[in-house]
Amino acid sequence: MEAPARKRGNFISRHVAAKSILGIVLMLVVFFLLVSIVGQRTFTRALLDQYSDGAFRTAEAAAGMLGGGDFSRFAQSGGKTEEYLAANTLLDELCNSSGATFVYAILPDRTDYAHITFIFSLMNRESSYTHYDFGYVRETTNDEYREKYRLICEEGSPRELVVRDKGYIETDPHITAMVPVSGPGGEVQAILCVQRQMDVLTSSRNSYIRGITLVLVGLAALVAAGQWLYLDRVFLRPVRRITDEATRFAAENVQSAVRLTETVKNRDEIGTLAASVEDMETRIQAYVGDITRITAEKERIGTELALATKLQAAFIPNTFPPFPDRSEFDVYAVMDPAKEVGGDFYDFYLIDDDHLCLVMADVSGKGIPAALFMMVSKIIIQSCAMLGRSAAGILEKTNEAICSNNKENMFVTVWLGILEISTGRLTCANAGHEYPVFKRPDGGFELYKDRHGFVIGGLAEARYREYEMQLEPGSKLFVYTDGLPEATDASGAMFGTKRMLNALNANAQARPKEVLAGMRAAVDGFVNDAEQFDDLTMLCLEYRGGAK
Amino acid sequence: MTATLTKNENSAVIRVSGRLDTVTAPEFESVLQTELGGIDTLTLDLAELEYISSAGLRTLLVAKKMMSERKGLSVINANETVREIFDITGFSEVLEIA
């Protein structure tokens, strides 16, 4: 026996360790994704706060510088008055010293904030962008800016912030802090904006993500390796040992010299499994030993039984036709034991030239005891018959002989007939056996309810009566054992004497051999799949007439 | 086959049901061998006995022989199939059948 190859599925589906590690790695990935998302959020918010704080301080310083007076003096200066230029210089210094990229003061148009007019516009010297000229008018960048401008001008908001940190092609990520430039009465005169690049934010965020990814990969590798080693040592190696041992045992059927519980030392369920496998091997071996012994014993009994079957079959007349030189009668008989040997038997022999003795008998029970009893009964009946007794005399003498030594209370039912060949006179006696069936030359088969005596072997004082039948040329006799009417189909129904007579009459004119073949076919058809339960024995005699 | 034994002082009734054949006869015989000490009168109630084979008849013979030195054995309520088997085998003339 070879262990079936299990190579279906990929590497992961075939290895417990790989499955468990895959699970752990997946969990790690999910965990790190959560950590990095939360981390990145917090990180971004903290950095942004710091950024915007600086930008607002710059913006408020600039707004303080420009506010407090009438802003229109700057708006109408054309960018050329001394005061304007002085303010511009101060803003320029503020821009460069505060680290802002762009500092500008604008006048949004107050109808729909769709356009803005630049009054001051100062670019950091390190920036690659150029500033807008005085009085430059452009469209507001987008609706977000429009809304912020409106909030400052109409709602009196002191601070507004626009963050543009993703997905912008035309500009680098940046924030814009906006504060109002207020007049002497606190009215909003202009908006001062400070723009700061977020290059530090993005670069540090990228390095944060890189770092966390590296940690994740490293940790996953470490966990995978650790898990693999742990699983292999604690679970897989012992399980493999058990599997190998089971496969080996299946192939060799011999217990190994080294006990499995010595190589697998786990105290957990795997240890229990190893002990169970070991125990199972011990039991299987004992069982196999038993079976081998029993099989040998069974074979021996089988051989003996086969011999007994042959012996029993050879013990009764079994060559047909039995009397080839006698044309006055034709006889045919069959015996089919339900087990190897049976308790039924038929018998026939010539007592002298003119007298044919016919016997049909059935021993109580089945199998070997019945077969032994049958052999004895057959011999005693034949011995008595050969002494030239009458039919009833034979049964009585046989009964006495058997009763004298029958502690087991076995008995045998016997129908016995002696045919006077020259005249066709049949003298019969029945010791508790089934009714015989007769057929007149011009009629059909009919059950003959003869007088019954008690079974042979039951009571020492039993007496039997004789009756006579006159056979004409063409008359037939059919005798059988109870296995025939009591043949049972799968539903438990019995064949019965009615079906038996029907089967006989379907074949009424046939020779004895065909009569029995037809009966056998009828019984087989009725029983169908059910097992043959009882012995099936029958005999048919056809009388042809006395010798000329 | 089931054999139900009811004892009443010196008499006993065994109700036999089902099939009494080669397979079940030994069981019935062991009931006879072990349970009938001190019983004078045995009645076999066969009302629910469906079928009796020759091996079953043998156990009746055993029962009859056991009771022959005591007051006796009687068989009651046998159905038609069983009664026919008794007739054919001559048991109906040997047993006290009611």
Side-chain angles (χ1 to χ4, degrees), chain A residues 410-458:
Chain A
M410 298 282 282
F411 64 80
V412 55
T413 69
V414 181
W415 178 92
L416 186 139
I418 296 173
L419 173 69
E420 194 171 67
I421 300 167
S422 54
T423 62
R425 194 164 59 97
L426 181 68
T427 317
C428 320
N430 192 336
H433 197 79
E434 299 284 328
Y435 296 118
V437 178
F438 290 100
K439 177 194 176 301
R440 297 191 169 284
D442 50 353
F445 280 97
E446 283 172 30
L447 210 57
Y448 181 78
K449 301 216 168 180
D450 56 359
R451 287 194 63 98
H452 274 61
F454 194 47
V455 296
I456 286 179

Side-chain angles (χ1 to χ4, degrees), chain A residues 264-275:
Chain A
V264 177
K265 295 210 159 90
N266 296 40
R267 282 154 176 262
D268 50 15
E269 289 89 338
I270 292 176
T272 314
L273 176 65

Side-chain angles (χ1 to χ4, degrees), chain A residues 281-302:
Chain A
E281 287 184 0
T282 313
R283 279 161 194 258
I284 286 180
Q285 256 200 327
Y287 190 62
V288 166
D290 284 350
I291 293 214
T292 314
R293 255 195 315 283
I294 291 168
T295 311
E297 179 71 8
K298 230 180 157 179
E299 270 170 21
R300 191 182 63 76
I301 293 174

Side-chain angles (χ1 to χ4, degrees), chain A residues 120-404:
Chain A
F120 291 97
S121 164
L122 296 131
M123 200 61 75
N124 193 300
R125 284 184 215 101
E126 282 165 21
S127 166
S128 52
Y129 296 98
T130 49
H131 68 87
Y132 295 108
D133 291 334
F134 175 88
Y136 180 77
V137 178
R138 57 162 281 188
E139 276 178 25
T140 307
T141 311
N142 61 28
D143 288 348
E144 192 185 0
Y145 281 92
R146 279 176 61 180
E147 177 62 11
K148 301 285 182 189
Y149 297 154
R150 195 190 64 76
L151 285 173
I152 289 172
C153 296
E154 292 178 15
E155 311 285 335
S157 168
R159 280 181 170 199
E160 287 298 331
L161 184 71
V162 174
V163 181
R164 308 188 79 188
D165 64 343
K166 45 188 173 281
Y168 306 111
I169 299 161
E170 73 272 26
T171 52
D172 294 329
H174 60 266
I175 58 165
T176 306
M178 305 171 186
V179 296
V181 178
S182 308
E187 75 281 9
V188 178
Q189 294 184 320
I191 298 174
L192 196 120
C193 307
V194 173
Q195 184 179 320
R196 278 187 84 167
Q197 295 307 108
M198 289 207 293
D199 46 347
V200 179
L201 176 76
T202 39
S203 70
S204 53
R205 194 166 61 189
N206 285 349
S207 76
Y208 170 79
I209 288 170
R210 250 196 319 277
I212 212 161
T213 310
L214 268 175
V215 169
L216 166 65
V217 170
L219 204 62
L222 208 66
V223 164
Q227 176 76 356
W228 184 280
L229 285 175
Y230 176 74
L231 275 179
D232 192 62
R233 198 173 180 80
V234 177
F235 299 109
L236 299 180
R237 218 176 294 169
V239 166
R240 237 178 352 250
R241 284 213 181 99
I242 295 171
T243 317
D244 289 350
E245 171 58 17
T247 312
R248 188 202 59 77
F249 184 77
E252 298 172 14
N253 262 319
V254 184
Q255 236 167 344
S256 68
V258 185
R259 293 164 62 87
L260 192 59
T261 41
E262 281 168 22
T263 49
V264 177
K265 295 210 159 90
N266 296 40
R267 282 154 176 262
D268 50 15
E269 289 89 338
I270 292 176
T272 314
L273 176 65
S276 306
V277 168
E278 196 176 279
D279 186 40
M280 186 190 71
E281 287 184 0
T282 313
R283 279 161 194 258
I284 286 180
Q285 256 200 327
Y287 190 62
V288 166
D290 284 350
I291 293 214
T292 314
R293 255 195 315 283
I294 291 168
T295 311
E297 179 71 8
K298 230 180 157 179
E299 270 170 21
R300 191 182 63 76
I301 293 174
T303 315
E304 288 181 6
L305 269 180
L307 191 61
T309 308
K310 280 187 203 157
L311 193 66
Q312 194 180 35
F315 203 57
I316 55 174
N318 53 19
T319 44
F320 294 97
F323 311 106
D325 49 343
R326 302 300 294 248
S327 58
E328 305 98 312
F329 61 92
D330 183 9
V331 64
Y332 195 82
V334 291
M335 176 175 90
D336 282 320
K339 297 184 177 176
E340 285 84 354
V341 288
D344 282 8
F345 68 95
Y346 64 80
D347 206 359
F348 50 81
Y349 32 81
L350 286 166
I351 296 171
D352 56 45
D353 258 6
D354 197 30
H355 290 91
L356 173 71
C357 183
L358 301 158
V359 181
M360 177 58 62
D362 186 356
V363 173
S364 57
K366 281 195 257 298
I368 294 171
L372 289 173
F373 199 78
M374 165 256 170
M375 298 290 258
V376 172
S377 309
K378 184 198 128 71
I379 292 167
I380 295 176
I381 292 169
Q382 187 167 14
S383 307
C384 293
M386 286 305 185
L387 292 175
R389 290 177 189 277
S390 66
I394 294 168
L395 295 186
E396 276 165 19
K397 201 71 198 163
T398 305
N399 184 48
E400 276 171 39
I402 287 176
C403 282
S404 67

Side-chain angles (χ1 to χ4, degrees), chain A residues 68-91:
Chain A
D70 185 2
F71 192 78
S72 60
R73 68 186 191 276
F74 296 122
Q76 287 159 14
S77 69
K80 288 185 175 106
T81 62
E82 237 171 88
E83 194 183 10
Y84 176 88
L85 289 172
N88 205 37
T89 310
L90 281 173
L91 285 178

